[in-house]
Each structure stands twice: as structure tokens, then as C-alpha cells.
Amino acid sequence: MRDHRKTPRHLTITVIRRDDPVSEVTEQDTIRAAGRYPNIVIRGPVFGFAAQAPEDGPGWRLLSDVSDGFPQHSRDALNSHLWFRAKDETNAGDPLREQLLAAVARLETEPLNELAVGETRYRVVRGDEFARVGSEGIEGPRPTDPDDPGRDIGDRCRSPRCRTTGFVIDHAKATGVMESIQRMELLPLRYRAPRIPQEVREDSRRALRTHPGVVLLPAAFTFAERKQASWEPMAGLHPTPQDARATLYNYLAEFLPKLEQDVSPADAETYAEAAERYRAGPPRDELRVLGRRFQIIRVERMIRVGPDGPEPPRRTDTDPYGPMRLHPPLAEVERRERREQRERSAQRERNARRERRRGRRPPTHG
């Protein structure tokens, strides 16, 4: 007799073939990258936080970039998210405000990985950051990755737009053929190296049972320096290769002489000159200066998914500090803001009276 029970969402991979030109080029690009960079190097865990709200159904919407180094960083970010929701979206006496501030109070004293506010569940989520490598080295940006190569990498006025925040984690959501294959390949991925503590490897093995599904997040980019036997990432993650190039430019032009010891004035000038040539030329993903090799690299992140959604932090994840109060009491902040508003209004009125006494029309304030 056939079993017609429905496959759970966290075990369902839905494959869709898209026939539009952009999707076909992206698929071919992914196939070429898999051949050139067949191996995976895990860098380690990253953390963020997500919400499961009624409007997203079974999915969990990421509310951060999933790039924090420790779970408590993400708990603190969730604390601030809820505090500002209470401040900006509610008024004194609203039941929702009371619920939000009650959640904030708990996060100030408890290392919580999950809590609920009304109908919305919030969770600190755990991902693994990795890169692909091959005989050519570590993978750089792909031709089909979103980019902005015409932007001046010396322009500091532009704030990059994150492609991870807002991403909905839904294991059963349809994906392309190659992404589905990659997800299947990642299902057994875990920590195996002997240099990793045994309890961490055991936790990693356990996660294959508790959270057997895998979802890939949008690719991110940073720059790394080639060391003797490895590549060392030198900065945080960015949404486009051009943002990573801008960070490399700024590092060489300004920060390297301040952050690295024993950099002579002559070497600092050489780094700065190399940075300006890098800025002036066409977009490049590699830069060599004074015997050092820097490269823009492509970073991927995966989140494991179980029956109840994305994986939270593991007991063996490093967490060097605990919860604390991040914001003053909201009522105190609002009293101060009202007092400052009254003082500004009184000052405007005093200025207007002075202008009238001088026989001039007072300025109009929006």
C-alpha cells in the first residue's frame, strides 16, 4: 500500500526550472563554479535573528544580516529591535508596548534564544559560513553576482543595501536546479577536522539529526589575504563585490598603517599609492603590493532547518559575555524628549518675539 503522508517542509526541496535568460545564465555560471571550486572550507558559525509572523506562514523572516560572531551579539540586536519597535510603533498604555518591553526586560537578564511577542515568534538563528576552493585557489565573485562596478570605491556616502535582511527561510520554497543540487550536497556537511574540539564535532553531528534541512542565504563578499597555507578574511561581509573592493581600498589607503605594527612611512605611502591605482582602474578582484596578495572572495552561508524552523545556537558555540541593559527605560526617554520639545518650542517663540520687536516677519518653521 502506498504511503500518501505529506513530506515535512524541513525535508522538502522543491525544484523549479526557470526558462528566462537571466536564470539560465545564472545556472550555467553555478555549474562552471562547481567544477572550478569543488571543495568547501567552513570558516565557522555566524548568528542573526529572525521572526515568524502570521503573514509569513511557516517561514521565518531574517531581521539581521546573519554575520554576528557570537549568539549574544544577536540577542543584543534583538533586544534593540524590540525596544525601538516599542518606541516607534506604540504609545504609552498600548498592550503591544507592554509585551515588547516585557520581552526586552527578559533579554536584559536572560540569554534567551527564543521568545514570543503577541502572535510573532522571535529566534536567534545559527548559520555556517563557508567558501569554495579549487586548484585555482579560493572562489571570487561570479559574473552573475549582483554588483555595482561603476561606483567609485572611494565614495563613503553610499550605504550598502543588505540582501540578507528580509530573506525568508522556508525549506520548501522553490529553488533553481543547481541551488537545489548544492543544498543536497550540503546536507551531510559538519565539522570533522581533528583541530576542532570533540564536543563541537559531536554537536555538529547531532545537528544533522535535529536540523537535517539546509537553506542557502544570498552570497556575500569580503576581502582576504593569502597566507602561507590559507586565506585569511580581513573584513566583515558585504552585499556586493564592489562594496568589498571599497573596503579593501579604505584598508590600504587609511587603516593598514594604523592597525598593523612596524609599517614604515615609506611602506604606508606605497600601500596608499597602490590603493589609489586600484581605485582609478577598472574593477579588479586581486591586488598585490609589497609581496602581499589580497583578493575579493565570495562567501556563502547555510542555515540548518528542523521541524520547528531554523537552528538556534548550539550549546558549544562560543559566547564570551552575557546579557545586559542596552537602553534606558522608555518612559524616561519619552519624558526627556517631551521636555526637549517644549524647550525647542519655547526657544522658537522667544526668537519670534524678538523678530517682531525688530519689525521683521518671523521665519516659518516646517
Side-chain angles (χ1 to χ4, degrees), residues 10-278:
H10 72 286
L11 298 177
T12 300
I13 294 181
T14 306
V15 184
I16 184 172
R17 181 177 177 83
R18 300 182 176 94
D19 295 326
D20 62 282
V22 174
S23 296
E24 289 190 7
V25 171
T26 301
E27 290 282 293
Q28 292 299 317
D29 197 18
T30 305
I31 292 172
R32 286 191 293 270
R36 293 174 63 189
Y37 305 99
N39 303 314
I40 289 175
V41 176
I42 305 178
R43 185 182 180 194
V46 285
F47 304 91
F49 65 98
Q52 186 186 50
E55 57 266 27
D56 288 323
W60 288 77
R61 185 175 297 274
L62 291 172
L63 302 180
S64 73
D65 192 26
V66 193
S67 59
D68 292 330
F70 305 115
Q72 190 59 45
H73 288 168
S74 296
R75 296 186 197 111
D76 290 345
L78 175 57
N79 180 331
S80 290
H81 173 81
L82 298 175
W83 190 90
F84 279 105
R85 272 203 66 193
K87 181 179 185 299
D88 298 336
E89 301 177 20
T90 69
N91 297 309
D94 287 354
L96 177 58
R97 169 173 285 202
E98 295 177 3
Q99 295 175 33
L100 288 165
L101 294 181
V104 167
R106 293 191 64 192
L107 286 166
E108 291 176 343
T109 58
E110 303 175 57
L112 298 174
N113 292 325
E114 183 167 337
L115 48 75
V117 177
E119 295 183 295
T120 301
R121 298 168 67 191
Y122 294 92
R123 178 179 295 175
V124 174
V125 300
R126 181 193 193 280
D128 272 305
E129 184 179 295
F130 64 93
R132 300 181 184 271
V133 296
S135 59
E136 302 175 24
I138 194 166
E139 184 180 17
R142 298 176 185 172
T144 51
D145 285 327
D147 202 0
D148 184 14
R151 179 172 62 88
D152 179 8
I153 59 175
D155 179 10
R156 300 188 182 184
C157 297
R158 179 182 178 274
S159 298
R161 181 179 180 181
C162 177
R163 295 193 301 127
T164 306
T165 301
F167 181 90
V168 176
I169 300 171
D170 184 353
H171 198 275
K173 183 179 178 181
T175 56
V177 175
M178 281 305 300
E179 181 174 337
S180 299
I181 292 174
Q182 288 179 330
R183 288 169 65 188
M184 291 290 291
E185 291 175 339
L186 291 168
L187 291 178
L189 187 68
R190 61 182 176 88
Y191 300 153
R192 300 174 183 270
R195 61 180 174 79
I196 297 174
Q198 181 178 351
E199 61 271 20
V200 176
R201 284 180 277 148
E202 288 293 333
D203 249 5
S204 182
R205 184 184 295 110
R206 188 179 301 111
L208 301 185
R209 300 193 310 271
T210 61
H211 295 81
V214 167
V215 169
L216 285 171
L217 301 186
F221 306 88
T222 186
F223 76 90
E225 182 179 2
R226 178 64 178 174
K227 300 296 186 179
Q228 287 186 345
S230 64
W231 288 90
E232 180 182 335
M234 303 286 286
L237 300 181
H238 298 281
T240 70
Q242 193 72 346
D243 292 310
R245 295 180 195 115
T247 303
L248 173 56
Y249 163 77
N250 290 325
Y251 179 74
L252 295 175
E254 181 177 351
F255 296 107
L256 185 149
K258 300 175 182 177
L259 297 176
E260 298 188 10
Q261 298 179 351
D262 301 325
V263 177
S264 68
D267 284 352
E269 184 176 352
T270 300
Y271 285 123
E273 291 172 351
E276 292 305 327
R277 289 194 299 272
Y278 185 64

Side-chain angles (χ1 to χ4, degrees), residues 235-351:
L237 300 181
H238 298 281
T240 70
Q242 193 72 346
D243 292 310
R245 295 180 195 115
T247 303
L248 173 56
Y249 163 77
N250 290 325
Y251 179 74
L252 295 175
E254 181 177 351
F255 296 107
L256 185 149
K258 300 175 182 177
L259 297 176
E260 298 188 10
Q261 298 179 351
D262 301 325
V263 177
S264 68
D267 284 352
E269 184 176 352
T270 300
Y271 285 123
E273 291 172 351
E276 292 305 327
R277 289 194 299 272
Y278 185 64
R279 175 185 182 183
R284 288 185 291 136
D285 294 328
E286 184 175 288
L287 188 153
R288 299 180 186 235
V289 55
L290 291 177
R292 301 172 68 175
R293 178 184 174 190
F294 301 94
Q295 182 175 321
I296 306 301
I297 66 171
R298 190 179 200 269
V299 178
E300 298 186 69
R301 291 159 297 168
M302 54 172 269
I303 289 182
R304 290 202 164 275
V305 180
D308 193 38
E311 183 184 16
R314 299 173 187 169
R315 61 183 179 84
T316 51
D317 287 327
T318 303
D319 215 6
Y321 72 97
M324 66 184 74
R325 170 174 284 187
L326 301 176
H327 302 280
L330 182 53
E332 177 184 311
V333 172
E334 292 183 329
R335 282 196 299 271
R336 184 181 69 244
E337 289 180 346
R338 287 193 295 269
R339 182 175 63 253
E340 292 172 350
Q341 178 61 39
R342 289 194 298 269
E343 292 173 353
R344 286 194 295 269
S345 296
Q347 184 61 48
R348 285 197 295 268
E349 181 58 32
R350 287 193 292 271
N351 292 340

